[in-house]
Amino acid sequence: MEALRFQVVGEAFKKKPLDVKAPSERPYEYFGKKVFNREKMYKYLPKDVYEKMIDVIDNGARLDRTVADAVAAGMKQWAVENGVTHYTHWFQPLTEGTAEKHDSFIEHDGKGGMVEEFTGKLLVQQEPDASSFPSGGIRSTFEARGYSAWDPTSPVFIIDDTLCIPTVFISYSGEALDYKAPLLRALHAVNVAATDVCHYFDPSVKKVTSNLGWEQEYFLVDEGLYAARPDLLLTGRTLMGHDSAKNQQMDDHYFGAIPERVAAFMRDLEIQALELGVPCKTRHNEVAPNQFELAPIFEETNLAVDHNMMLMSLMKKVARKHGFRVLLHEKPFAGINGSGKHNNWSLSTDNGILLHAPGKTPEANLRFATFIVETLMGVYKHNGLLKASIMSATNAHRLGANEAPPAIVSSFLGKQVSELLDHIEKADKDFLAMTGKQGLKMDIPEIPELLIDNTDRNRTSPFAFTGNRFEFRAVGSEANCASAMIALNSAVAEALVNFKKRVDAKIPEFEKKLAGTEHSAKFHAIIDVLREDIKTCKPIRFDGNGYSDEWVVEAEKRGLDVEKSCPKIFERYLDKESIQMFESLGVMTKKELEARNEVKWETYTKKIQIEARVLGDLSMNHIIPVATHYQSQLLKNVGNMAVIFPIDTADKLSARNKKIIQEIAERTSAIEKGVEELVEARKKANKIEDEHKKAIAYHDNVEPKLDTIRYEIDKLELIVDDALWPLPKYRELLFIR
């Protein structure tokens, strides 16, 4: 064991960066090379078919079967020219990953040979086995039929020799079994609701688009060290491991020079991602050692979600090529920052207006205030649901720490936006006058004029306004962004629908009051409803320190959801208000929501169950044997001392070893007892048939025992001979050479 660990560590430190040859073209020239985008459609499709496809993508027109056949023919021609032999319907089941079943193009030609064929029927629909995917009881295990259906709004792409077709995944009876179907419904709902409200200010608006810019944080670990850590291999995080003497205390990793091996990986990843149409923009070192970030340019939300899922899969593939493993777990290492996936969200119109951006006229700022306030209304009313949308067994380790948003949803607006809303509420004279960005002149001739945003950033806020968008910071690094986007877009859509209903009801009242005046009834009705909503949603606005204990007390007084138990947080999906919202918007039915919660509770239980079994195995088969072996060496040393030296001298010389011998005995005994209690708690929880109650039992009675056992193991790591310790330590895992 000693030789293996040091051999693995030594090999990791000797690895050289892989030589990555960039394409001869500039990035913009090979961007989208492997994507059947509009440029490819224009080239490979007849003109009338191309125009119909654009109508489908941009305006939601119905896809005719004859059009599908023509698209399939052009798509196949492009794919074959790029060496493709198979196709797959690429979908996003409730496993947090992606799934695909590959079929080849070949079919019998009726003459004893084969021919390559790809029709509109094959493009539009496929039948993967639905029984093996989580369904929460919607599908019985013996009922296998499920359907994947093409999503033409997300471009088809090529991975290796396979044409990947983004699709929704539904059951035989039509219920959604994936993330994409309800996401598309939520995006449609917010489009309709926001467009209706936009008509108060600009009747020419035809469409409102939800935009998303995610920031993907991740860790890299040398593949050899990863393989030597069964806990990383099986759970995605280290279940034991004492802090390194140096972790992130110096903050020298953040924005530091990127290690050569990592830079080579990043270049390779970006090249392949750009070819797949993922608009990679930013890369840098994050705060924790071995932690990095990649962020793209903003995109339409559905496409952005697909690109993020695509990228996470690609990252794992490229990392192995460079001798790394990617860790997307939100908290793979205790004592240092975990990883999130900040979701920067905004709404924009088809004529280029950002609805969350301040304007230069009173009318534009009234529109801005309207969409800010109604977003806050949605977040306030469904703050518990939004928390549930980003909660998981893995993200629970990160939320609430002094590195991530707290497990309480609130919104930071900044001084200027807060003052604007206060002015509207109090009806101050110039309440719609608002400065956008102010110039700050510095007495340094080499530095040009800087622009100061109309709001600062609050890193402790889970939902912060950052100038022309909101940043949902609580989303976990390995999560599917669709979960948060379904809840957020639905909540905002509901708030906008309610807003318009109340404004329309008030307009006739003000028309009577203002008869014969120059004032607009519509303007006054909007202001009147906004004042009501500003007062109503005020509890969600918080510009202070979200990490403080005082905020937890204050948030509870405000009526915000302060629950910390992951299984109980999931209950918010089944609140009367949540079910009513999703059903009224046509996003999800009560049956679909109940099924998804069954999946969430079952997934939570299984993840904690796996961690408990892995920790028990490592404790009994790795840690205790090594510790007792070292204890035996010390006992032998103490015995030899007694033989060689007088009793008094031997006692003095052996005092330290005796102390360690006793500590090892006490800690191994505590570990053994902890493992026994862990096993019993697991057995007791496993007898519970109700998934909800079982998940709560695992949270309350099983999970806490993991930390108790870990504490004892981490203390042993400090006293057992380093040469005997079987697992790579934090100081070896966290610093790439």
Side-chain angles (χ1 to χ4, degrees), residues 176 181-189 486 490 493 578-589 592:
L183 175 64
L184 291 173
R185 296 170 190 161
L187 296 178
H188 173 72
I486 291 166
S490 297
S578 298
I579 294 172
Q580 183 178 356
M581 175 190 73
F582 283 125
E583 289 195 328
S584 67
L585 297 172
V587 175
M588 282 186 281
T589 64
E592 287 174 315

Side-chain angles (χ1 to χ4, degrees), residues 597-638:
N597 260 33
E598 285 290 306
V599 173
K600 289 177 182 293
W601 287 319
E602 184 180 8
T603 300
Y604 177 86
T605 296
K606 287 179 177 178
K607 288 194 174 184
I608 305 303
Q609 186 181 69
I610 291 169
E611 289 188 352
R613 294 179 67 180
V614 170
L615 183 59
D617 172 60
L618 289 176
S619 298
M620 303 306 294
N621 297 318
H622 291 68
I623 304 305
I624 289 180
V626 167
T628 53
H629 176 64
Y630 181 54
Q631 185 184 48
S632 297
Q633 290 182 346
L634 295 179
L635 284 167
K636 185 177 180 180
N637 177 270
V638 170

Side-chain angles (χ1 to χ4, degrees), residues 335-609:
I336 64 173
N337 279 19
S339 296
K341 179 153 49 193
H342 304 165
N343 278 207
N344 296 277
W345 171 84
S346 64
L347 297 174
S348 62
T349 66
D350 57 314
N351 55 4
I353 296 172
L354 282 173
L355 297 176
H356 291 110
K360 296 181 179 179
T361 65
E363 186 178 55
N365 277 329
L366 179 59
R367 181 188 60 221
F368 163 72
T370 297
F371 279 91
I372 289 289
V373 172
E374 295 315 309
T375 296
L376 293 176
M377 280 292 289
V379 174
Y380 170 61
K381 182 177 180 181
H382 297 287
N383 68 93
L385 174 65
L386 286 172
K387 182 164 68 174
S389 76
I390 54 85
M391 183 54 69
S392 66
T394 53
N395 204 22
H397 292 288
R398 167 179 165 263
L399 295 181
N402 286 346
E403 60 180 85
I408 302 170
V409 173
S410 65
S411 184
F412 164 83
L413 297 179
K415 182 180 178 181
Q416 289 192 23
V417 179
S418 294
E419 287 179 351
L420 172 66
L421 300 190
D422 290 342
H423 288 332
I424 295 176
E425 181 186 351
K426 297 171 184 176
D428 286 359
K429 183 179 179 181
D430 296 319
F431 62 80
L432 291 180
M434 180 177 179
T435 57
K437 293 191 174 184
Q438 304 170 351
L440 174 66
K441 293 184 178 180
M442 304 178 68
D443 295 325
I444 307 174
E446 290 81 9
I447 303 297
E449 184 181 37
L450 301 179
L451 293 176
I452 302 300
D453 285 301
N454 51 42
T455 176
D456 195 358
R457 295 176 65 202
N458 185 327
R459 297 180 63 85
T460 75
S461 176
F463 194 76
F465 180 67
T466 56
N468 57 15
R469 62 189 182 274
F470 282 93
E471 183 179 21
F472 197 2
R473 295 177 54 85
V475 183
S477 57
E478 72 175 1
N480 187 324
C481 298
S483 179
M485 290 296 102
I486 291 166
L488 177 58
N489 283 285
S490 297
V492 174
E494 182 193 52
L496 290 169
V497 168
N498 182 265
F499 171 80
K500 186 175 188 302
K501 182 179 179 181
R502 289 182 293 140
V503 170
D504 286 349
K506 284 180 179 288
I507 289 176
E509 299 176 19
F510 280 103
E511 285 177 341
K512 293 178 181 178
K513 293 178 181 178
L514 301 172
T517 72
E518 296 180 0
H519 297 292
S520 164
K522 178 182 68 176
F523 172 86
H524 281 276
I526 291 172
I527 293 295
D528 207 46
V529 174
L530 277 184
R531 286 183 182 134
E532 294 174 3
D533 289 351
I534 289 170
K535 293 175 183 177
T536 300
C537 69
K538 191 167 285 187
I540 204 70
R541 290 163 53 186
F542 178 64
D543 290 0
N545 180 10
Y547 296 158
S548 69
D549 294 334
E550 291 79 10
W551 168 232
V552 178
V553 176
E554 172 64 21
E556 191 167 14
K557 288 180 181 178
R558 295 186 183 194
L560 302 181
D561 192 309
V562 297
E563 179 60 62
K564 294 182 180 179
S565 168
C566 186
K568 291 181 180 179
I569 289 172
F570 291 148
E571 295 171 10
R572 300 288 71 76
Y573 273 98
L574 300 180
D575 285 347
K576 180 181 177 181
E577 295 80 7
S578 298
I579 294 172
Q580 183 178 356
M581 175 190 73
F582 283 125
E583 289 195 328
S584 67
L585 297 172
V587 175
M588 282 186 281
T589 64
K590 182 180 179 181
K591 182 179 179 182
E592 287 174 315
L593 290 167
E594 289 172 339
R596 280 162 195 267
N597 260 33
E598 285 290 306
V599 173
K600 289 177 182 293
W601 287 319
E602 184 180 8
T603 300
Y604 177 86
T605 296
K606 287 179 177 178
K607 288 194 174 184
I608 305 303
Q609 186 181 69

Side-chain angles (χ1 to χ4, degrees), residues 642-683:
V643 172
I644 297 172
F645 298 103
I647 294 177
D648 291 347
T649 303
D651 285 343
K652 290 180 181 179
L653 295 174
S654 303
R656 179 179 178 277
N657 285 352
K658 288 179 179 179
K659 183 179 179 182
I660 294 174
I661 290 168
Q662 181 179 351
E663 184 175 352
I664 289 175
E666 291 171 352
R667 295 200 183 280
T668 53
S669 177
I671 292 169
E672 191 169 2
K673 180 183 177 184
V675 171
E676 289 175 358
E677 292 176 351
L678 181 66
V679 171
E680 286 304 311
R682 219 174 67 232
K683 287 181 178 179

Side-chain angles (χ1 to χ4, degrees), residues 135-207:
S135 70
I138 284 180
R139 309 296 297 146
S140 299
T141 55
F142 58 84
E143 295 175 316
R145 195 181 298 277
Y147 296 110
S148 53
W150 178 34
D151 170 19
T153 64
S154 185
V156 169
F157 56 95
I158 294 172
I159 296 288
D160 298 327
D161 64 351
T162 303
L163 184 70
C164 300
I165 305 162
T167 61
V168 299
F169 184 43
I170 59 175
S171 71
Y172 178 72
S173 48
E175 292 92 356
L177 298 175
D178 68 343
Y179 283 104
K180 181 181 276 286
L183 175 64
L184 291 173
R185 296 170 190 161
L187 296 178
H188 173 72
V190 80
N191 168 31
V192 172
T195 299
D196 284 347
V197 172
C198 279
H199 288 164
Y200 286 139
F201 310 97
D202 183 357
S204 69
V205 172
K206 296 178 180 178
K207 182 179 181 180

